[in-house]
Amino acid sequence: MEEYAREPCPWRIVDDCGGAFTMGVIGGGVFQAIKGFRNAPAGVGHRLRGSANAVRMRAPQIGVRLREKEDPWNSITSGALTGAILAARSGPLTMMGSAMMGGILLALIEGFGILLTRYTAQQFQNSIPFAEDPSQLPPKDGGPQKPRGAKGEFQ
């Protein structure tokens, strides 16, 4: 009877997916910690470091990185997959529409983030340093130049 007292479908799916993901991440982390502990050299310090290192090395695979580099496509794909999964009970056409909306929404967010990053990066570019001695600058076109064959110049 308790099953029917819960919230309706969309929030229930989000809660269940979040709970399943959390259990998978915690379970995978514990498994990797035990594996690293067992495979480390003797000594408590070595074993604890080996355990932590094993968890750290496998964290991207446990947390599901879609591609091997950090780029906007990971977020866009995640948004599309999330939209499709949340609409799974409504049929394939609705899943595709929700996937497109999730992907477009995340693409807009990522695009805005990239635009903002590029805009703010221009503010912090290094300017051309000023020459300390103006006589060391190359002559401008039309400015006074040394005549050819002047004293001290090779001929």
Side-chain angles (χ1 to χ4, degrees):
M1 199 64 163
E2 195 175 309
E3 190 70 26
Y4 296 108
R6 291 175 58 184
E7 293 183 18
C9 180
W11 303 116
R12 193 168 165 185
I13 292 174
V14 171
D15 288 341
D16 291 345
C17 287
F21 178 77
T22 304
M23 285 191 315
V25 168
I26 291 172
V30 169
F31 177 78
Q32 292 301 322
I34 292 170
K35 184 178 171 184
F37 189 84
R38 290 181 62 206
N39 292 333
V44 175
H46 291 293
R47 290 189 184 263
L48 289 177
R49 265 184 265 132
S51 176
N53 195 28
V55 172
R56 184 180 57 84
M57 296 299 290
R58 292 292 292 181
Q61 287 80 18
I62 293 171
V64 185
R65 254 178 40 191
L66 298 174
R67 296 173 42 153
E68 287 300 315
K69 57 184 179 177
E70 186 61 39
D71 61 355
W73 289 107
N74 280 340
S75 298
I76 294 168
T77 306
S78 297
L81 287 174
T82 302
I85 289 171
L86 291 176
R89 294 179 65 180
S90 299
L93 188 61
T94 307
M95 281 179 68
M96 193 158 56
S98 294
M100 288 176 54
M101 287 305 295
I104 290 170
L105 179 66
L106 265 293
L108 288 172
I109 292 170
E110 287 293 323
F112 182 73
I114 291 170
L115 182 73
L116 188 64
T117 301
R118 286 187 180 172
Y119 176 73
T120 57
Q122 290 176 356
Q123 295 177 355
F124 299 108
Q125 287 181 348
N126 291 336
S127 60
I128 300 171
F130 293 108
E132 292 183 20
D133 186 10
S135 65
Q136 300 296 322
L137 293 173
K140 293 182 180 179
D141 294 311
Q145 297 180 355
K146 288 185 180 179
R148 294 196 109 188
K151 188 174 183 182
E153 193 175 323
F154 295 109
Q155 297 190 14

